[in-house]
Amino acid sequence: MDIEKTLAERGARYGDFTDHAVMAQSLQDCMRSPTTQGAGWEALSPDKKQALTVIADKIARILTGDPEYTDNWHDIQGYAKLAEDRCA
């Protein structure tokens, strides 16, 4: 598949990449911010950090693109389940 065609399809579904990037990075900045209570980001294992990172990306896709595209919602459930399965 031609990369320009792929990018056009993704842009139609998810919106402008810059808007998505700003939203995704803002969410991730919030997640990584120090907390006054609770364990915070640094206490998480790499698998939980990755699950939350991908979930933030999926949330950004929903907010900047097509909120009715069920694949993003399904993916969020999947990454949450992967993290849940690894809880002590």
Side-chain angles (χ1 to χ4, degrees), residues 6 11 18 25 29 40 43-44 48-51 56 63 75 77 86:
T6 300
T18 299
Q25 291 301 305
D29 288 346
L44 297 175
K48 290 180 185 63
K49 287 179 181 179
Q50 184 60 26
L63 293 173
D75 285 350
Q77 292 178 68
R86 286 158 178 78

Side-chain angles (χ1 to χ4, degrees), residues 11-49:
R13 169 138 351 253
Y14 300 118
D16 180 74
F17 179 69
T18 299
D19 292 340
H20 168 81
V22 168
M23 176 70 67
Q25 291 301 305
S26 295
L27 290 168
Q28 291 176 57
D29 288 346
C30 288
M31 292 188 314
R32 293 182 178 116
S33 294
T35 61
T36 57
Q37 296 180 9
W41 183 261
E42 293 307 316
L44 297 175
S45 58
D47 53 332
K48 290 180 185 63
K49 287 179 181 179

